[in-house]
Amino acid sequence: MSRCQGIVPPYLLDSVAQRCEGEVAARAALTLRLEQSMRAQRQVRAARPSPPSPRPAAEGIVPPHLRSRLGEPTTLRGPRPPARPQSAEGQAEKTSPATPHRLVHDAQQGSTLPGRRARTEGEPPVADESVNEAYDGLGDTWRLLHEVYGRDSLDGEGLPLVASVHYERGYDNAFWNGEQMVFGDGDGVIFASFTDSVDVIGHELAHGLTQYTSGLIYLAQAGALNESISDVFGVLTAQYTAGQTAHEADWLIGAKLFCPGVKGVALRSMKAPGTAYDDPRLGKDPQPAHMRDYQDLPHDDTGDNGGVHVNSGIPNHAFYRFATALGGHAWERAGQVWYDTITRRMPKDADFATFAAVTVTAARDRYGDGDVLDALRASWDAVGVRPAPPARG
Ligand SMILES: [Zn+2]
């Protein structure tokens, strides 16, 4: 299954590649090409009966237990690595459970990952702003998970957070590749730097969270839920960091991603899906906010894996309605129900109705019958999703 989950969907990059000219079109085309080849490589690995452990990291900075997970399906009850990860120097980690363990690298406009070590946990800020933004964004995401939900990193076991900035030249995306974060600098005309939005960093790390929890596949409704969960924890990271209430927040994903001159406010809007941008070079935001506008797209690259970045607008809007109906801080009750949901067992190919049913069970278990459950049911109803447990058989 694809693990190159970029914040910018392929149809948007394709639009830039087709409708822009010169360097800008070339950067978008290169981004698309590299992502397709990364996906193809992973599919080849996944198809092998006993794949050898891939070695993506030249310096061995990526912990071995992470490498072994490349191309393998993850499960809730999957085997856990017996030992703590090792640092680059080969010393056993002594990381306290109460601190993140960040490793930010500079890919130096190349494609070798992770690249040159630029800033590690506890080191002071460096001259490169992208390095510091990535370092801070990784920390913000770790703090939301730890301080609010009591989870130590993506795997719940202190997984080091590895990132590389300045990937390729003018690369038009940020992505989670199954083991680390990767950030491009953007082409500078349509897309600005990808380290500048904390919700983008939170979104990408949440793909790692999904990998270690629900394991939802990246296809059709399950894929749209995978995308939506990343948007939810992305905005929660931004809101928690800023101390905003649900009513103060903008509910936008990637509000700082577009360069001046682009007709749009962000990549996506959870408050009003389908209204984030409308630009001659990008087209119009295609996200629906209701099941009646669900887009049944081809289950391949050209169809965005069945519209995973498109139909995510529906569960996104349900979460927005839920959080704003409850009021206060979205990460508290609304976020808690979503966190409880993804850490429960559910089919990896869960559809919206199945996922909604798990949210209802999770909400009842934690808050009982009452306001929270009522608000949740009303929110799913408002987007046309009827919670239904999976059929037995
Ligand atoms: Zn994503």
Side-chain angles (χ1 to χ4, degrees):
M1 188 44 58
S2 160
R3 286 270 179 74
C4 177
Q5 297 159 340
I7 189 86
V8 180
Y11 55 79
L12 210 49
L13 291 168
D14 191 50
S15 185
V16 174
Q18 301 291 331
R19 300 183 197 187
C20 292
E21 290 177 345
E23 269 302 282
V24 178
R27 293 297 145 216
L30 173 78
T31 304
L32 267 177
R33 218 167 38 242
L34 285 173
E35 287 176 9
Q36 276 160 2
S37 83
M38 280 184 264
R39 277 193 287 272
Q41 282 167 21
R42 286 177 202 290
Q43 276 156 12
V44 168
R45 283 189 194 128
R48 286 181 189 146
S50 294
S53 192
R55 307 230 180 280
E59 328 283 333
I61 191 73
V62 179
H65 72 278
L66 271 183
R67 282 192 226 120
S68 71
R69 281 170 185 272
L70 249 183
E72 298 168 8
T74 54
T75 66
L76 268 177
R77 288 149 282 111
R80 291 290 185 190
R84 300 286 296 172
Q86 303 250 313
S87 72
E89 289 74 28
Q91 294 157 345
E93 280 310 324
K94 289 283 191 286
T95 313
S96 151
T99 53
H101 187 49
R102 290 166 282 186
L103 300 156
V104 182
H105 305 81
D106 183 352
Q108 298 174 296
Q109 302 195 313
S111 58
T112 304
L113 295 174
R116 181 181 64 80
R117 186 88 74 89
R119 187 177 173 194
T120 63
E121 192 63 42
E123 289 180 355
V126 295
D128 186 338
E129 202 181 333
S130 297
V131 170
N132 298 327
E133 286 170 349
Y135 182 90
D136 291 344
L138 296 174
D140 292 337
T141 309
W142 185 92
R143 269 188 292 281
L144 171 79
L145 293 176
H146 187 258
E147 293 171 7
V148 179
Y149 308 117
R151 185 181 188 86
D152 187 5
S153 194
L154 306 179
D155 63 347
E157 298 184 2
L159 183 78
L161 299 175
V162 182
S164 300
V165 301
H166 306 308
Y167 178 73
E168 277 286 350
R169 248 175 244 282
Y171 195 78
D172 271 339
N173 223 337
F175 61 92
W176 167 259
N177 74 355
E179 62 187 38
Q180 73 157 92
M181 289 280 327
V182 183
F183 299 96
D185 292 325
D187 53 50
V189 174
I190 305 285
F191 293 106
S193 167
F194 284 81
T195 51
D196 201 15
S197 298
V198 68
D199 48 275
V200 169
I201 299 176
H203 173 104
E204 292 304 329
L205 282 177
H207 280 308
L209 180 64
T210 292
Q211 183 181 324
Y212 283 99
T213 54
S214 65
L216 284 164
I217 60 171
Y218 206 62
L219 189 72
Q221 289 197 15
L225 288 165
N226 185 319
E227 265 304 311
S228 174
I229 289 162
S230 274
D231 279 350
V232 164
F233 286 94
V235 295
L236 289 180
T237 299
Q239 291 175 21
Y240 183 65
T241 303
Q244 289 174 328
T245 65
H247 291 283
E248 288 165 349
D250 62 15
W251 295 92
L252 297 172
I253 307 294
K256 294 180 180 171
L257 271 189
F258 290 145
C259 292
V262 175
K263 292 182 170 54
V265 292
L267 274 185
R268 291 184 281 281
S269 168
M270 297 177 70
K271 182 176 183 174
T275 68
Y277 58 87
D278 188 357
D279 184 279
R281 296 161 297 180
L282 297 174
K284 186 182 179 310
D285 176 3
Q287 283 211 309
H290 192 282
M291 278 307 281
R292 67 176 158 254
D293 300 315
Y294 183 87
Q295 293 190 36
D296 196 4
L297 297 169
H299 291 187
D300 57 21
D301 271 359
T302 62
D304 184 29
N305 282 352
V308 296
H309 293 90
V310 176
N311 296 311
S312 56
I314 296 167
N316 272 3
H317 193 57
F319 183 84
Y320 161 80
R321 281 179 172 262
F322 181 39
T324 49
L326 295 176
H329 294 135
W331 61 84
E332 290 173 0
R333 292 180 295 172
Q336 185 70 58
V337 170
W338 250 242
Y339 180 79
D340 289 349
T341 298
I342 63 167
T343 48
R344 276 170 178 259
R345 287 179 65 173
M346 75 175 80
K348 292 185 194 314
D349 61 348
D351 58 10
F352 291 175
T354 302
F355 181 86
V358 182
T359 65
V360 167
T361 307
R364 185 182 284 122
D365 284 356
R366 188 172 282 273
Y367 300 108
D369 292 312
D371 293 357
V372 174
L373 198 60
D374 293 346
L376 179 63
R377 285 188 182 283
S379 302
W380 284 121
D381 190 53
V383 301
V385 172
R386 183 185 292 270
R392 293 183 189 278

